[in-house]
Amino acid sequence: MIARELSADAPLTRPTRRVSESRSGPRLARNGQWELALRNARRLLERDPEHLGALEVAAQSLVALGHAEECLAVVRTLVRLTPHEQAYELWRASSLQILARHSEALTAFSRAYRLYKDPMIQAKVLEEMELLIGLLEMGGREPTQLWLDAGLVPPQKRRGARESLPTVH
């Protein structure tokens, strides 16, 4: 899943509050030790419910473990504290995707696409969006309109050197 793949390695766009005991959480998450990382994050959140580092590790671990509803609640807190963080939209989108809330997931992936400036990450986000559009199309939705609803130019209307990546509409 893209959120797990990208967020484990992607640096955050701003510094977070970290204390010495919270340093193990990101390391555990990077190593795929999701349950232990989540347990450590929860322990920190008991003392400081707005600890950004612990909230981030919790969200990343929850989405990796498939606990989508709980991840969405954590992401809401993160977005309230830091509204324009790239990884948060990926965690939100992946959670919505797990819950089969595909239209909402498409919108969240679209926001993530706009926030990330790295073309490689944008391409991975686009792959997820194309999968979702395929699912929605099978459900009777018109694909061109889905791209437009996501605020992106549909593939058949793209021109130029950056044809592989959609342009913001």
Side-chain angles (χ1 to χ4, degrees):
M1 181 164 291
I2 190 172
R4 184 185 321 163
E5 180 183 333
L6 295 178
S7 62
D9 299 323
L12 299 173
T13 57
R14 41 95 206 114
T16 60
R17 289 181 283 152
R18 302 213 192 272
V19 294
S20 60
E21 66 182 356
S22 70
R23 290 192 179 124
S24 66
R27 181 179 38 79
L28 292 168
R30 276 192 301 277
N31 292 331
Q33 295 176 297
W34 304 113
E35 292 89 359
L36 189 53
L38 181 58
R39 195 170 345 158
N40 286 351
R42 284 182 170 150
R43 220 179 358 251
L44 276 169
L45 291 169
E46 287 173 4
R47 290 197 313 265
D48 180 1
E50 293 188 347
H51 189 287
L52 290 174
L55 286 164
E56 289 165 353
V57 169
Q60 183 180 5
S61 299
L62 289 164
V63 77
L65 294 168
H67 302 294
E69 288 290 351
E70 192 175 354
C71 181
L72 286 173
V74 172
V75 168
R76 277 191 289 278
T77 301
L78 284 165
V79 169
R80 181 178 50 79
L81 296 171
T82 311
H84 300 291
E85 177 57 48
Q86 304 160 342
Y88 303 167
E89 286 304 325
L90 288 178
W91 294 330
R92 180 195 324 258
S94 294
S95 294
L96 291 165
Q97 194 174 19
I98 290 168
L99 295 169
R101 292 164 53 183
H102 301 306
S103 292
E104 292 172 79
L106 183 61
T107 300
F109 276 125
S110 177
R111 281 192 297 269
Y113 179 86
R114 286 182 179 83
L115 289 171
Y116 278 100
K117 302 304 178 202
D118 180 333
M120 289 177 49
I121 294 175
Q122 283 183 325
K124 289 182 179 190
V125 171
L126 180 60
E127 287 175 20
E128 291 294 321
M129 291 174 70
E130 288 173 340
L131 288 171
L132 282 172
I133 286 176
L135 289 171
L136 291 166
E137 186 179 8
M138 287 189 311
R141 301 276 308 272
E142 203 280 309
T144 299
Q145 189 59 47
L146 290 167
W147 283 107
L148 294 173
D149 289 349
L152 301 170
V153 176
Q156 65 272 25
K157 295 187 178 185
R158 293 183 208 141
R159 301 274 189 277
R162 290 184 46 127
E163 263 183 65
S164 62
L165 294 177
T167 52
V168 176
H169 191 64

